[in-house]
Amino acid sequence: MKAAVVTSFTAPLEIGQREIPLPGRGQVLVRLETCGLCHTDIHAAHGDWPVKPTVPFVPGHEGVGIVEQLGDGVTERTVGERVAIPWLGYACGECRFCVDGRETLCEQQQNSGYSIDGAFAEYAVASARFAVPVPDGITSLDAAPLTCAGVTTYKALKVARIVPSEQVAVFGIGGLGHLAVQYARVMGGRVIAVDVENPKLDLARELGADHLVNAAEVDPVDAIKAVGGADVAVVLAASPRVFEQAFASLNRGGRLICVALPADQQMSISIFETVLKGISIIGSIVGTRQDLAEVFALHAAGRTRIIAEGRTLDQVNDAIAEVLSEKVLARLVFEY
């Protein structure tokens, strides 16, 4: 099979041939149809985070494809079924976090395209329990971004506990942000879209944003306060400065939802403001299998739109450069 492999954190990905993997006990073999390119894949390929993947490895955690073979003991999936391979590739199912519905906090978890090989390949093996069925009526091109960008922003807005009519500021309109705008509206929020690129802000308007803020042209904190401030601020831009701006834009009782993971991990905020204004700072990491099932159901019901462009796996390094240029409107998806 063809695969894109990280062999060094300082070198481009290598496109080459690998043996098709065999599914072990509890696993399925999936023939990939699509896989989205997430910024996390780029962080993984560059070794940006404190816990680094072990090279060589295959990135990719927005994989969608057809189950071709079942490993021993598999009863959850069937051959011919279309499934998604998300970031949460495995969790133990027995710890306190798994048992109470917070499986994304499991300390034994494995992550697709990071601690285990992912979906930047024509085939991948996946845990049968964590390969999530994709409903009919959703194209594989659309399903790929929903598998991470969708479930990540959906979960972030769920934990924000939006009250209808509250103002939700989305910092960073792109692969994740264009979906965050839509989920915030589904949950009853009024959306303030913040970015530094006018085409992305135009997209946010098209998707229903109520206010647009170009942070390259105006102070976003002042601009957000001028329209009533934010009750919820979701940060999808990988910059500590953006987190600080989002915090400063919050009203009393506001919630700062931290999603992006910048390589520079430190942000500076006021403890005084946090306490006196009753602000909550919440970290949100991807979503559970149930969250992803809900994301797919919303899309199948016509409640969300995916903005994506197709690429071939041979274009993986060019695609990474496109994403880093910040000129990609929303999501790039590899089609096999």
Side-chain angles (χ1 to χ4, degrees), residues 26-30 63 65-67 74 76-78 81-86 88-90 112 124-134 147 289 292 296:
Q27 295 182 324
V28 292
L29 175 67
V30 179
I66 306 300
V67 175
V74 173
E76 302 92 338
R77 304 274 70 86
T78 58
E81 188 175 16
R82 190 168 53 133
V83 297
I85 300 177
L88 186 65
Y90 169 85
S112 304
V125 293
S127 166
R129 289 193 297 118
F130 287 85
V132 178
V134 179
T147 299
R289 288 167 288 178
L292 183 52
F296 284 151

Side-chain angles (χ1 to χ4, degrees), residues 29-309:
L29 175 67
V30 179
R31 175 177 53 80
L32 276 306
E33 294 182 335
T34 59
C35 185
L37 171 59
C38 178
H39 211 117
T40 295
D41 297 312
I42 301 174
H43 287 304
H46 294 170
D48 286 337
W49 293 340
V51 179
K52 304 181 189 307
T54 300
V55 295
F57 69 96
V58 177
H61 57 274
E62 288 187 347
V64 176
I66 306 300
V67 175
E68 285 211 343
Q69 186 177 346
L70 307 179
D72 290 343
V74 173
T75 58
E76 302 92 338
R77 304 274 70 86
T78 58
V79 171
E81 188 175 16
R82 190 168 53 133
V83 297
I85 300 177
W87 171 255
L88 186 65
Y90 169 85
C92 75
E94 299 178 355
C95 69
R96 58 177 287 207
F97 302 111
C98 285
V99 169
D100 72 8
R102 294 180 291 168
E103 62 192 20
T104 56
L105 300 182
C106 176
E107 292 185 291
Q108 303 303 315
Q109 70 181 270
Q110 295 178 338
N111 302 120
S112 304
Y114 207 90
S115 58
I116 54 178
D117 281 340
F120 282 11
E122 292 174 324
Y123 289 85
V125 293
S127 166
R129 289 193 297 118
F130 287 85
V132 178
V134 179
D136 293 338
I138 301 178
T139 68
S140 293
L141 183 70
D142 280 2
L146 291 170
T147 299
C148 180
V151 75
T152 297
T153 51
Y154 178 73
K155 174 64 174 295
L157 290 160
K158 279 181 73 172
V159 301
R161 299 187 180 276
I162 297 167
V163 175
S165 81
E166 284 191 314
Q167 295 215 114
V168 181
V170 178
F171 286 77
I173 307 301
L176 277 75
H178 89 284
L179 282 158
V181 168
Q182 297 176 72
Y183 293 132
R185 285 181 52 80
V186 167
M187 296 176 189
R190 291 176 55 80
V191 179
I192 305 168
V194 186
D195 205 282
V196 295
E197 299 284 345
N198 283 323
K200 294 182 179 181
L201 292 170
D202 291 340
L203 174 61
R205 178 192 287 113
E206 182 182 337
L207 295 173
D210 299 281
H211 303 285
L212 308 179
V213 176
N214 188 323
E217 298 175 355
V218 299
D219 184 320
V221 178
D222 291 343
I224 292 170
K225 287 183 175 179
V227 295
D231 301 298
V232 173
V234 181
V235 183
L236 308 173
S239 163
R241 176 59 180 149
V242 176
F243 282 83
E244 294 162 4
Q245 292 170 334
F247 177 89
S249 74
L250 287 169
N251 294 326
R252 289 175 176 266
R255 286 87 78 198
L256 175 65
I257 314 299
C258 304
V259 179
L261 292 171
D264 181 356
Q265 303 171 52
Q266 306 302 317
M267 65 174 172
S268 177
I269 59 171
S270 167
I271 297 172
F272 191 86
E273 289 281 304
T274 303
V275 174
L276 268 66
K277 294 173 68 176
I279 291 174
S280 300
I281 300 171
I282 302 169
S284 181
I285 177 70
V286 295
T288 65
R289 288 167 288 178
Q290 178 58 33
D291 292 325
L292 183 52
E294 292 169 13
V295 162
F296 284 151
L298 278 172
H299 194 71
R303 302 296 300 277
T304 53
R305 285 176 53 198
I306 293 293
I307 308 300
E309 299 177 35

